[in-house]
Amino acid sequence: MKKMTCIEDLRRAAHRKVPRAFFGYAEAGSYSEETLRANRADMERVRLRQRVLIDVSERDTSTKILNEKASLPLALAPIGIGGLQYGNGEIHACRAAQAAGIPYTLGTMSICSIEDVAGAVEKPFWFQLYVMKDRGFARSLIERAAAAKCSALVLTVDLQILGQRHADIKNGLSVPPSLKIRNLIDMATKPAWVYRVLTGKRWTFGNLAGHVKGEEGVTALAEWIAHQFDPTLNWKDVEWVRSIWPGKLIIKGILDVEDAKLASKIGVEGIVVSNHGGRQLDGGASSISILPKIADAIGSDIEILFDGGIRSGQDLMRALALGAKSCMIGRAYIYGLGAGGQAGVARAIEIIRKELDVTMALTGVRTVDEIDRRTLVS
């Protein structure tokens, strides 16, 4: 892992080690991937302002996220099927995040269940929720997250209808799944991956285990999930979640100023400015282009997190300068997970930490609180 100097190095390693179908699932965007590309292109257009002759001998990257101490203004975002990137992947990622002193978010569509992860780590983590048509199931997930002492609930609101991802269909990760012969051959050429996955706690969606009566196979569960995304989802559902969740609530998937204003009035602790990593509305705006508008509108009223295109400490600083209090990474740590499990995720976090630290020094910044638009070229 020490030879991995940047997130792209981890990406290349994961590409070699993870079967094509699952690597493609993590990397792909929806439809023509315009929004996926825009997340990176627009991020790279944000220019940092170099400053000199400022004493930056003592720097501090620590901050608070939702009033909890963190070593970095960074959290690991929820991802689906992490346990198929690396056996017990969600546990490995959570351990790495907690060792680094930052939050980890377990996804609803994880391989390891809430209870699996809670029993394998020492501290509370965040849980991400989809409100599905089966409100009883959604309530049960909230109750399980509370029982596991999850410290925040991340309610994702931009997946009421699934955006088509061409790569998944071509790789057989459709509904129902139909892995191609070439994918099975590809898996056979990666025996280390096969061994880790087969010896992991689970091979299918852990949080759904036992819920779909008599249907434990991945095909049946995938079909059930596909019919559970709810196009009727609305602000009253957010109020319902707020009424039964006892802890901190974050809404993820806000990409419009009006929606941000509504969220700030509904009584949640934070929002995540996000376009689902370019995996939903294709042709929509990049997350970074919308962030400053939302920050200007509600930045003093609610805590703003950012998600979409973070691949480096420089990107992290760009988002902070444009109004985010902290950021989430998805693909950046998935690459680390596929490349080397817990050690790979730890390396991804460390790469971003070091890059942020150096970037702070070269822009004349000593603490995270000092990062604002004055650190950017106008």
Side-chain angles (χ1 to χ4, degrees):
M1 284 296 121
K2 290 183 179 180
K3 294 182 179 179
M4 301 290 163
T5 61
C6 59
I7 298 300
E8 178 60 22
D9 285 349
L10 293 171
R11 178 189 173 277
R12 291 170 182 163
H15 189 265
R16 293 192 303 269
K17 295 180 178 183
V18 178
R20 180 189 301 109
F22 302 115
F23 181 83
Y25 171 83
E27 185 159 74
S30 64
Y31 299 100
S32 298
E33 300 188 333
E34 292 178 14
T35 301
L36 173 67
R37 293 191 297 273
N39 275 350
R40 288 297 305 141
D42 290 353
M43 180 73 75
E44 290 173 352
R45 291 191 186 99
V46 180
R47 300 285 88 188
L48 298 167
R49 181 185 178 197
Q50 177 177 304
R51 299 297 308 279
V52 298
L53 299 177
I54 298 173
D55 183 356
V56 289
S57 57
E58 295 185 6
R59 300 178 302 282
D60 185 2
T61 63
S62 67
T63 188
K64 286 187 176 182
I65 303 176
L66 298 181
N67 209 34
E68 296 289 334
K69 292 182 179 179
S71 66
L72 276 169
L74 189 69
L76 300 193
I79 64 168
I81 63 173
L84 295 182
Q85 300 293 327
Y86 194 98
N88 291 332
E90 293 89 0
I91 292 172
H92 285 283
C94 189
R95 285 173 173 169
Q98 292 187 349
I102 64 174
Y104 166 78
T105 315
L106 179 68
T108 293
M109 300 307 166
S110 58
I111 299 300
C112 293
S113 69
I114 298 171
E115 294 78 12
D116 292 338
V117 177
V121 301
E122 297 179 355
K123 301 174 185 176
F125 52 90
W126 296 358
F127 179 68
Q128 175 262 339
L129 175 73
Y130 291 123
V131 175
M132 298 181 172
K133 291 179 181 176
D134 186 340
R135 295 297 195 267
F137 177 61
R139 178 185 283 273
S140 72
L141 285 175
I142 294 171
E143 292 170 348
R144 289 165 63 186
K149 294 181 170 54
C150 290
S151 52
L153 188 71
V154 180
L155 175 61
T156 298
V157 296
D158 58 357
L159 200 78
Q160 66 273 45
I161 293 178
L162 186 65
Q164 179 170 297
R165 297 150 199 175
H166 299 334
D168 289 350
I169 294 174
K170 291 174 181 176
N171 287 325
L173 294 182
S174 54
V175 178
S178 58
L179 288 178
K180 312 297 183 183
I181 293 297
R182 67 176 183 272
N183 296 124
L184 298 176
I185 294 172
D186 182 38
M187 291 179 196
T189 66
K190 298 172 173 60
W193 176 89
V194 171
Y195 174 79
R196 285 191 292 264
V197 169
L198 291 182
T199 56
K201 288 181 176 292
R202 301 178 190 274
W203 308 341
T204 186
F205 304 105
N207 290 321
L208 274 63
H211 179 73
V212 184
K213 301 301 182 183
E215 302 287 359
E216 296 298 326
V218 66
T219 298
L221 290 178
E223 289 181 335
W224 183 84
I225 292 166
H227 291 94
Q228 282 296 313
F229 294 115
D230 191 354
T232 72
L233 191 69
N234 60 74
W235 289 104
K236 290 184 179 179
D237 294 305
V238 179
E239 293 174 353
W240 173 72
V241 171
R242 172 77 284 178
S243 71
I244 59 177
W245 170 249
K248 297 171 184 175
L249 181 61
I250 306 167
I251 299 180
K252 182 175 183 288
I254 299 296
L255 204 69
D256 181 88
V257 171
E258 292 305 311
D259 289 339
K261 289 178 179 178
L262 289 170
S264 69
K265 295 175 181 177
I266 208 165
V268 300
E269 280 69 30
I271 64 167
V272 185
V273 176
S274 171
N275 56 26
H276 214 99
R279 293 163 68 82
Q280 282 296 98
L281 174 63
D282 197 32
S286 67
S287 295
I288 198 68
S289 68
I290 300 298
L291 172 62
K293 300 173 185 178
I294 290 178
D296 288 343
I298 64 160
S300 60
D301 302 326
I302 195 171
E303 190 158 327
I304 298 173
L305 294 82
F306 173 84
D307 168 70
I310 299 287
R311 298 290 187 277
S312 68
Q314 294 90 331
D315 294 338
L316 180 55
M317 187 159 182
R318 286 163 168 146
L320 296 175
L322 288 174
K325 183 72 165 54
S326 60
C327 296
M328 286 183 146
I329 53 171
R331 292 181 179 91
Y333 92 81
I334 294 173
Y335 297 146
L337 181 62
Q342 181 176 339
V345 177
R347 184 59 180 162
I349 297 168
E350 181 61 10
I351 285 169
I352 290 176
R353 186 197 69 78
K354 287 184 176 180
E355 289 171 342
L356 175 63
D357 179 65
V358 171
T359 304
M360 288 170 60
L362 296 180
T363 55
V365 172
R366 303 178 188 87
T367 68
V368 170
D369 288 341
E370 292 178 14
I371 301 172
D372 59 25
R373 294 184 197 179
R374 290 172 294 181
T375 60
L376 302 177
V377 175
S378 297

Coordinates of all heavy atoms in Angstrom, one line a residue, residues 3-80:
K3 N 3.2 2.1 -1.8 CA 3.6 2.5 -3.1 C 2.4 3.2 -3.8 O 2.6 3.7 -4.9 CB 4.0 1.3 -4.0 CG 5.4 0.7 -3.5 CD 5.8 -0.5 -4.3 CE 7.1 -1.1 -3.8 NZ 7.5 -2.2 -4.7
M4 N 1.2 3.1 -3.2 CA 0.1 3.8 -3.8 C 0.1 5.3 -3.4 O 0.0 5.7 -2.3 CB -1.2 3.2 -3.2 CG -1.4 1.7 -3.5 SD -1.7 1.4 -5.2 CE -1.3 -0.4 -5.3
T5 N 0.5 6.1 -4.4 CA 0.7 7.5 -4.1 C -0.5 8.4 -4.3 O -0.5 9.5 -3.9 CB 1.8 8.0 -5.1 OG1 1.4 7.9 -6.4 CG2 3.1 7.2 -4.9
C6 N -1.5 7.9 -5.0 CA -2.7 8.7 -5.2 C -3.9 7.8 -5.4 O -3.8 6.5 -5.5 CB -2.6 9.6 -6.5 SG -2.2 8.6 -8.0
I7 N -5.1 8.3 -5.4 CA -6.3 7.5 -5.6 C -6.3 6.8 -6.9 O -6.8 5.6 -7.0 CB -7.6 8.4 -5.4 CG1 -7.7 9.1 -4.0 CG2 -8.9 7.6 -5.7 CD1 -7.7 8.1 -2.9
E8 N -5.8 7.4 -7.9 CA -5.7 6.7 -9.2 C -4.9 5.4 -9.2 O -5.2 4.4 -9.8 CB -5.1 7.6 -10.3 CG -5.0 7.0 -11.7 CD -6.3 6.5 -12.3 OE1 -7.4 7.0 -11.9 OE2 -6.3 5.6 -13.2
D9 N -3.8 5.4 -8.3 CA -3.1 4.1 -8.1 C -4.0 3.1 -7.5 O -3.9 1.9 -7.9 CB -1.9 4.4 -7.2 CG -0.8 5.2 -7.9 OD1 -0.8 5.3 -9.1 OD2 0.2 5.6 -7.2
L10 N -4.8 3.4 -6.6 CA -5.7 2.5 -5.9 C -6.7 2.0 -6.9 O -7.1 0.8 -7.0 CB -6.4 3.1 -4.7 CG -5.5 3.4 -3.5 CD1 -6.2 4.2 -2.5 CD2 -4.9 2.1 -2.9
R11 N -7.2 2.9 -7.8 CA -8.2 2.5 -8.8 C -7.6 1.5 -9.7 O -8.3 0.5 -10.1 CB -8.6 3.8 -9.6 CG -9.5 3.5 -10.7 CD -9.7 4.7 -11.7 NE -10.5 4.3 -12.8 CZ -10.1 3.7 -13.9 NH1 -8.8 3.4 -14.0 NH2 -10.9 3.3 -14.9
R12 N -6.4 1.7 -10.2 CA -5.8 0.7 -11.1 C -5.6 -0.7 -10.4 O -5.8 -1.7 -11.0 CB -4.4 1.2 -11.6 CG -4.5 2.4 -12.5 CD -3.2 3.1 -12.8 NE -3.3 4.2 -13.6 CZ -2.4 5.2 -13.8 NH1 -1.3 5.1 -13.1 NH2 -2.6 6.2 -14.6
A13 N -5.2 -0.6 -9.1 CA -5.0 -1.9 -8.4 C -6.4 -2.6 -8.3 O -6.5 -3.8 -8.4 CB -4.4 -1.6 -7.0
A14 N -7.4 -1.9 -7.9 CA -8.8 -2.5 -7.8 C -9.2 -3.0 -9.1 O -9.9 -4.1 -9.2 CB -9.8 -1.4 -7.3
H15 N -8.9 -2.3 -10.2 CA -9.3 -2.8 -11.5 C -8.7 -4.2 -11.8 O -9.4 -5.0 -12.5 CB -8.9 -1.8 -12.6 CG -9.5 -2.1 -13.9 ND1 -8.8 -2.7 -14.9 CD2 -10.7 -1.7 -14.5 CE1 -9.5 -2.8 -16.0 NE2 -10.6 -2.2 -15.8
R16 N -7.5 -4.4 -11.3 CA -6.9 -5.7 -11.5 C -7.4 -6.8 -10.7 O -7.5 -8.0 -11.0 CB -5.4 -5.6 -11.3 CG -4.6 -4.7 -12.3 CD -3.1 -4.9 -12.1 NE -2.6 -4.6 -10.7 CZ -2.2 -3.4 -10.3 NH1 -2.2 -2.4 -11.2 NH2 -1.8 -3.2 -9.1
K17 N -7.9 -6.4 -9.5 CA -8.2 -7.4 -8.4 C -9.7 -7.7 -8.3 O -10.0 -8.8 -7.8 CB -7.7 -6.9 -7.1 CG -6.2 -6.8 -7.0 CD -5.7 -6.4 -5.6 CE -4.2 -6.3 -5.5 NZ -3.8 -5.9 -4.1
V18 N -10.5 -6.8 -8.7 CA -12.0 -7.0 -8.6 C -12.6 -7.4 -9.9 O -12.2 -6.9 -10.9 CB -12.6 -5.7 -8.1 CG1 -14.2 -5.9 -8.0 CG2 -12.0 -5.3 -6.7
P19 N -13.4 -8.4 -9.9 CA -14.1 -8.8 -11.2 C -14.8 -7.7 -11.9 O -15.3 -6.8 -11.3 CB -15.1 -9.9 -10.7 CG -14.5 -10.5 -9.5 CD -13.8 -9.3 -8.8
R20 N -14.7 -7.7 -13.2 CA -15.2 -6.7 -14.1 C -16.6 -6.2 -13.7 O -16.9 -5.0 -13.6 CB -15.2 -7.1 -15.5 CG -15.8 -6.1 -16.5 CD -16.0 -6.7 -17.9 NE -14.7 -7.3 -18.4 CZ -14.5 -8.6 -18.6 NH1 -15.4 -9.5 -18.2 NH2 -13.3 -9.0 -19.1
A21 N -17.5 -7.1 -13.4 CA -18.9 -6.8 -13.2 C -19.0 -5.9 -11.9 O -19.8 -4.9 -11.9 CB -19.8 -8.0 -13.0
F22 N -18.3 -6.2 -10.9 CA -18.5 -5.5 -9.6 C -17.6 -4.2 -9.6 O -18.0 -3.2 -9.0 CB -18.1 -6.4 -8.4 CG -19.0 -7.6 -8.4 CD1 -18.4 -8.9 -8.6 CD2 -20.3 -7.5 -8.2 CE1 -19.2 -10.0 -8.6 CE2 -21.1 -8.6 -8.2 CZ -20.6 -9.9 -8.4
F23 N -16.5 -4.2 -10.3 CA -15.7 -3.0 -10.4 C -16.5 -2.0 -11.3 O -16.6 -0.8 -11.0 CB -14.4 -3.2 -11.1 CG -13.5 -2.0 -11.3 CD1 -12.7 -1.5 -10.3 CD2 -13.5 -1.3 -12.5 CE1 -12.0 -0.4 -10.4 CE2 -12.8 -0.1 -12.7 CZ -12.0 0.3 -11.6
G24 N -17.2 -2.5 -12.3 CA -18.0 -1.6 -13.2 C -19.2 -1.1 -12.5 O -19.6 0.1 -12.7
Y25 N -19.8 -1.9 -11.6 CA -20.9 -1.4 -10.8 C -20.5 -0.2 -9.9 O -21.3 0.8 -9.9 CB -21.4 -2.5 -9.8 CG -22.4 -2.0 -8.8 CD1 -23.7 -1.9 -9.1 CD2 -22.0 -1.6 -7.5 CE1 -24.7 -1.5 -8.2 CE2 -22.9 -1.2 -6.6 CZ -24.3 -1.1 -7.0 OH -25.2 -0.6 -6.0
A26 N -19.3 -0.2 -9.3 CA -18.9 0.9 -8.5 C -18.5 2.1 -9.3 O -18.7 3.3 -8.9 CB -17.7 0.5 -7.7
E27 N -18.0 1.9 -10.5 CA -17.4 3.0 -11.3 C -18.4 3.7 -12.2 O -18.3 4.9 -12.5 CB -16.2 2.5 -12.1 CG -15.5 3.6 -12.8 CD -14.1 3.3 -13.1 OE1 -13.9 2.5 -14.1 OE2 -13.2 3.8 -12.5
A28 N -19.4 3.0 -12.7 CA -20.3 3.5 -13.7 C -21.2 4.6 -13.3 O -21.6 4.7 -12.1 CB -21.1 2.4 -14.4
G29 N -21.6 5.5 -14.2 CA -22.7 6.4 -14.0 C -23.9 6.0 -14.8 O -23.9 4.9 -15.5
S30 N -24.9 6.8 -14.8 CA -26.1 6.5 -15.5 C -26.1 7.0 -17.0 O -25.4 8.0 -17.3 CB -27.4 7.0 -14.8 OG -27.3 8.5 -14.8
Y31 N -26.8 6.3 -17.8 CA -27.0 6.7 -19.2 C -25.7 7.1 -19.9 O -24.7 6.3 -19.9 CB -28.1 7.8 -19.3 CG -29.4 7.3 -18.8 CD1 -29.8 7.6 -17.5 CD2 -30.2 6.4 -19.6 CE1 -31.0 7.2 -17.0 CE2 -31.4 6.0 -19.1 CZ -31.8 6.3 -17.8 OH -33.0 5.9 -17.3
S32 N -25.5 8.3 -20.5 CA -24.3 8.6 -21.2 C -23.2 9.1 -20.3 O -22.2 9.5 -20.8 CB -24.7 9.7 -22.2 OG -25.6 9.3 -23.2
E33 N -23.5 9.2 -19.0 CA -22.5 9.5 -18.0 C -22.0 11.0 -18.1 O -20.9 11.4 -17.7 CB -21.3 8.6 -18.0 CG -21.7 7.2 -17.7 CD -20.5 6.2 -17.5 OE1 -19.4 6.5 -18.1 OE2 -20.6 5.2 -16.8
E34 N -22.9 11.9 -18.6 CA -22.6 13.3 -18.7 C -22.3 13.9 -17.3 O -21.4 14.6 -17.1 CB -23.7 14.1 -19.4 CG -23.8 13.7 -20.9 CD -25.0 14.5 -21.5 OE1 -25.5 15.4 -20.9 OE2 -25.4 14.1 -22.6
T35 N -23.2 13.6 -16.4 CA -23.1 14.2 -15.1 C -22.0 13.6 -14.3 O -21.3 14.3 -13.5 CB -24.5 14.0 -14.3 OG1 -25.5 14.6 -15.0 CG2 -24.4 14.6 -12.9
L36 N -21.7 12.3 -14.5 CA -20.5 11.7 -13.9 C -19.3 12.4 -14.3 O -18.4 12.8 -13.5 CB -20.4 10.2 -14.3 CG -19.2 9.5 -13.9 CD1 -19.1 9.3 -12.4 CD2 -19.1 8.1 -14.6
R37 N -19.1 12.7 -15.6 CA -17.9 13.4 -16.1 C -17.9 14.8 -15.6 O -16.8 15.4 -15.3 CB -17.9 13.3 -17.6 CG -17.6 11.9 -18.2 CD -17.3 12.0 -19.6 NE -18.4 12.5 -20.4 CZ -19.4 11.8 -20.9 NH1 -19.4 10.5 -20.7 NH2 -20.4 12.3 -21.7
A38 N -19.1 15.5 -15.5 CA -19.1 16.9 -15.1 C -18.7 17.0 -13.6 O -18.1 18.0 -13.3 CB -20.6 17.4 -15.2
N39 N -19.0 16.0 -12.8 CA -18.5 16.1 -11.4 C -17.0 16.3 -11.3 O -16.5 17.1 -10.5 CB -18.9 14.8 -10.7 CG -20.3 14.9 -10.1 OD1 -21.0 15.9 -10.1 ND2 -20.7 13.7 -9.6
R40 N -16.3 15.6 -12.2 CA -14.8 15.8 -12.2 C -14.4 17.0 -12.9 O -13.5 17.7 -12.5 CB -14.1 14.5 -12.8 CG -14.2 13.3 -11.9 CD -13.5 13.5 -10.6 NE -12.1 13.9 -10.8 CZ -11.4 14.7 -10.1 NH1 -12.1 15.3 -9.0 NH2 -10.2 15.0 -10.3
A41 N -14.9 17.2 -14.1 CA -14.5 18.3 -14.9 C -14.7 19.7 -14.2 O -13.8 20.5 -14.2 CB -15.2 18.3 -16.3
D42 N -15.9 19.8 -13.6 CA -16.2 21.1 -13.0 C -15.3 21.3 -11.7 O -14.9 22.4 -11.3 CB -17.6 21.2 -12.6 CG -18.5 21.4 -13.9 OD1 -17.9 21.6 -15.0 OD2 -19.7 21.3 -13.7
M43 N -15.0 20.1 -11.0 CA -14.2 20.2 -9.8 C -12.8 20.7 -10.2 O -12.2 21.6 -9.6 CB -14.1 18.8 -9.2 CG -13.2 18.7 -8.0 SD -13.9 19.5 -6.5 CE -15.1 18.2 -6.1
E44 N -12.3 20.2 -11.3 CA -10.9 20.6 -11.7 C -10.8 22.0 -12.2 O -9.7 22.6 -12.3 CB -10.4 19.6 -12.8 CG -10.2 18.2 -12.3 CD -9.9 17.2 -13.4 OE1 -10.0 17.6 -14.6 OE2 -9.5 16.1 -13.1
R45 N -11.9 22.6 -12.5 CA -11.9 24.0 -13.0 C -11.8 25.0 -11.8 O -11.5 26.2 -12.0 CB -13.2 24.4 -13.8 CG -13.2 23.7 -15.1 CD -14.4 24.3 -15.9 NE -14.5 23.5 -17.2 CZ -15.4 22.6 -17.4 NH1 -16.3 22.3 -16.4 NH2 -15.5 22.0 -18.5
V46 N -12.0 24.5 -10.6 CA -11.9 25.4 -9.4 C -10.4 25.5 -9.1 O -9.7 24.5 -8.8 CB -12.7 24.8 -8.2 CG1 -12.5 25.7 -7.0 CG2 -14.1 24.6 -8.6
R47 N -9.9 26.7 -9.1 CA -8.5 27.0 -9.0 C -8.2 27.5 -7.5 O -8.8 28.3 -7.0 CB -8.0 28.1 -9.9 CG -8.2 27.8 -11.4 CD -7.2 26.8 -11.9 NE -7.6 25.4 -11.7 CZ -6.8 24.3 -11.9 NH1 -5.6 24.5 -12.3 NH2 -7.3 23.1 -11.8
L48 N -7.1 26.9 -7.0 CA -6.7 27.2 -5.6 C -5.7 28.4 -5.7 O -4.9 28.6 -6.6 CB -6.0 26.0 -5.0 CG -6.9 24.8 -4.8 CD1 -6.1 23.6 -4.4 CD2 -7.9 25.1 -3.7
R49 N -5.8 29.2 -4.7 CA -5.0 30.5 -4.6 C -3.7 30.2 -3.8 O -3.7 30.0 -2.6 CB -5.8 31.6 -3.9 CG -5.1 32.9 -3.8 CD -6.0 33.9 -3.0 NE -5.3 35.2 -2.9 CZ -5.7 36.1 -2.0 NH1 -6.7 35.8 -1.2 NH2 -5.1 37.2 -1.9
Q50 N -2.6 30.3 -4.5 CA -1.3 30.1 -3.8 C -0.9 31.3 -3.0 O -0.9 32.4 -3.5 CB -0.2 29.8 -4.9 CG 1.2 29.6 -4.2 CD 2.3 29.3 -5.3 OE1 2.1 28.3 -6.0 NE2 3.3 30.1 -5.4
R51 N -0.5 31.1 -1.8 CA 0.0 32.2 -0.9 C 1.4 31.8 -0.4 O 1.7 30.6 -0.2 CB -0.9 32.4 0.3 CG -2.3 32.8 -0.1 CD -2.4 34.1 -0.9 NE -1.7 35.2 -0.1 CZ -2.3 35.9 0.9 NH1 -3.5 35.6 1.3 NH2 -1.6 36.9 1.4
V52 N 2.2 32.8 -0.1 CA 3.6 32.6 0.4 C 3.9 33.5 1.5 O 3.2 34.4 1.9 CB 4.6 32.8 -0.8 CG1 4.4 31.9 -1.9 CG2 4.6 34.3 -1.3
L53 N 5.0 33.2 2.2 CA 5.5 34.0 3.3 C 4.5 34.1 4.4 O 4.3 35.2 5.1 CB 6.0 35.4 2.8 CG 7.1 35.3 1.8 CD1 7.5 36.7 1.3 CD2 8.4 34.7 2.4
I54 N 3.8 33.0 4.7 CA 2.9 32.9 5.8 C 3.4 31.8 6.7 O 3.7 30.7 6.1 CB 1.5 32.7 5.3 CG1 1.0 33.8 4.5 CG2 0.5 32.4 6.5 CD1 -0.4 33.6 3.8
D55 N 3.4 31.9 8.0 CA 3.9 30.9 8.9 C 2.8 29.8 8.9 O 1.8 29.9 9.5 CB 4.2 31.4 10.3 CG 4.7 30.4 11.2 OD1 4.8 29.2 10.8 OD2 5.0 30.7 12.4
V56 N 3.1 28.6 8.3 CA 2.2 27.5 8.3 C 2.9 26.3 8.9 O 2.6 25.1 8.5 CB 1.7 27.2 6.9 CG1 0.7 28.3 6.4 CG2 2.9 27.0 5.9
S57 N 3.8 26.6 9.8 CA 4.6 25.5 10.5 C 3.7 24.5 11.3 O 4.0 23.4 11.5 CB 5.7 26.0 11.3 OG 5.2 26.9 12.3
E58 N 2.6 25.1 11.8 CA 1.6 24.2 12.6 C 0.3 24.3 11.9 O -0.3 25.3 11.8 CB 1.5 24.8 14.0 CG 2.8 24.7 14.8 CD 2.7 25.1 16.3 OE1 1.5 25.4 16.7 OE2 3.7 25.2 17.0
R59 N -0.1 23.1 11.5 CA -1.4 22.9 10.8 C -2.3 21.9 11.4 O -1.8 20.9 12.0 CB -1.2 22.6 9.3 CG -0.4 23.6 8.6 CD -0.1 23.2 7.1 NE 0.6 21.9 7.0 CZ 1.9 21.7 7.2 NH1 2.6 22.8 7.5 NH2 2.4 20.5 7.0
D60 N -3.6 22.0 11.3 CA -4.5 21.1 11.9 C -5.7 20.8 11.0 O -6.4 21.7 10.6 CB -5.0 21.7 13.2 CG -5.9 20.8 14.0 OD1 -6.1 19.6 13.6 OD2 -6.5 21.2 15.1
T61 N -5.8 19.5 10.6 CA -6.9 19.1 9.7 C -8.1 18.7 10.4 O -9.1 18.3 9.8 CB -6.4 18.0 8.7 OG1 -6.1 16.8 9.5 CG2 -5.2 18.4 7.9
S62 N -8.1 18.7 11.7 CA -9.3 18.2 12.5 C -10.4 19.2 12.4 O -10.3 20.4 12.2 CB -8.9 17.9 13.9 OG -8.6 19.1 14.6
T63 N -11.6 18.7 12.7 CA -12.8 19.6 12.7 C -13.9 18.9 13.5 O -13.7 17.9 14.2 CB -13.3 19.8 11.2 OG1 -14.3 20.8 11.2 CG2 -13.8 18.5 10.6
K64 N -15.1 19.3 13.4 CA -16.3 18.7 13.9 C -17.3 18.4 12.8 O -17.5 19.3 12.0 CB -17.0 19.5 15.0 CG -16.2 19.4 16.3 CD -17.0 20.1 17.5 CE -16.2 20.0 18.8 NZ -17.0 20.6 19.9
I65 N -17.9 17.2 12.8 CA -18.9 16.9 11.8 C -20.2 16.5 12.6 O -20.1 15.6 13.4 CB -18.5 15.7 10.9 CG1 -17.2 16.0 10.2 CG2 -19.6 15.4 9.9 CD1 -16.7 14.9 9.3
L66 N -21.2 17.3 12.4 CA -22.4 17.2 13.2 C -22.1 17.2 14.7 O -22.6 16.4 15.5 CB -23.2 15.9 12.9 CG -23.7 15.7 11.5 CD1 -24.4 14.4 11.3 CD2 -24.6 16.9 11.1
N67 N -21.2 18.1 15.1 CA -20.8 18.3 16.5 C -20.0 17.2 17.1 O -19.8 17.1 18.3 CB -22.0 18.7 17.4 CG -21.6 19.5 18.5 OD1 -20.7 20.4 18.4 ND2 -22.2 19.3 19.7
E68 N -19.5 16.3 16.2 CA -18.6 15.2 16.7 C -17.2 15.4 16.2 O -17.0 15.8 15.0 CB -19.1 13.8 16.2 CG -20.5 13.4 16.8 CD -20.4 13.1 18.3 OE1 -19.3 12.7 18.7 OE2 -21.5 13.2 19.0
K69 N -16.2 15.2 17.0 CA -14.8 15.4 16.6 C -14.4 14.4 15.4 O -14.8 13.3 15.4 CB -13.9 15.2 17.7 CG -14.0 16.3 18.8 CD -13.0 16.0 19.9 CE -13.1 17.1 21.0 NZ -12.1 16.9 22.1
A70 N -13.7 15.0 14.4 CA -13.2 14.2 13.3 C -11.8 14.7 13.0 O -11.5 15.8 13.1 CB -14.1 14.3 12.1
S71 N -10.9 13.7 12.6 CA -9.6 14.1 12.3 C -9.5 14.8 10.9 O -8.4 15.5 10.7 CB -8.7 12.8 12.2 OG -9.1 12.0 11.2
L72 N -10.5 14.7 10.1 CA -10.6 15.3 8.8 C -12.0 15.7 8.5 O -12.9 15.1 9.1 CB -10.2 14.2 7.7 CG -8.8 14.0 7.4 CD1 -8.7 12.7 6.5 CD2 -8.2 15.2 6.6
P73 N -12.2 16.7 7.7 CA -13.6 17.0 7.3 C -14.1 16.1 6.2 O -14.4 16.5 5.1 CB -13.4 18.5 6.8 CG -12.0 18.5 6.3 CD -11.2 17.6 7.2
L74 N -14.1 14.8 6.6 CA -14.4 13.7 5.6 C -15.1 12.6 6.2 O -14.9 12.3 7.4 CB -13.0 13.2 5.1 CG -13.0 12.2 3.9 CD1 -13.4 12.9 2.6 CD2 -11.6 11.6 3.7
A75 N -16.0 12.0 5.5 CA -16.8 10.8 5.9 C -16.8 9.9 4.7 O -16.8 10.3 3.5 CB -18.2 11.2 6.3
L76 N -17.0 8.6 5.0 CA -17.1 7.6 3.9 C -18.6 7.5 3.6 O -19.4 7.2 4.5 CB -16.6 6.2 4.4 CG -15.1 6.2 4.7 CD1 -14.6 4.7 4.8 CD2 -14.2 6.9 3.7
A77 N -18.9 7.7 2.3 CA -20.3 7.7 1.9 C -20.9 6.2 1.8 O -20.1 5.3 1.7 CB -20.4 8.3 0.5
P78 N -22.2 6.1 1.8 CA -22.8 4.8 1.7 C -22.6 4.2 0.2 O -22.7 5.0 -0.7 CB -24.3 5.0 1.9 CG -24.5 6.5 1.6 CD -23.2 7.2 2.0
I79 N -22.3 3.0 0.1 CA -22.2 2.3 -1.2 C -22.9 1.0 -1.2 O -23.1 0.4 -0.1 CB -20.7 2.1 -1.6 CG1 -20.0 1.1 -0.6 CG2 -19.9 3.4 -1.6 CD1 -18.7 0.5 -1.1
G80 N -23.3 0.5 -2.3 CA -24.0 -0.7 -2.4 C -23.0 -1.9 -2.6 O -21.9 -1.6 -3.1

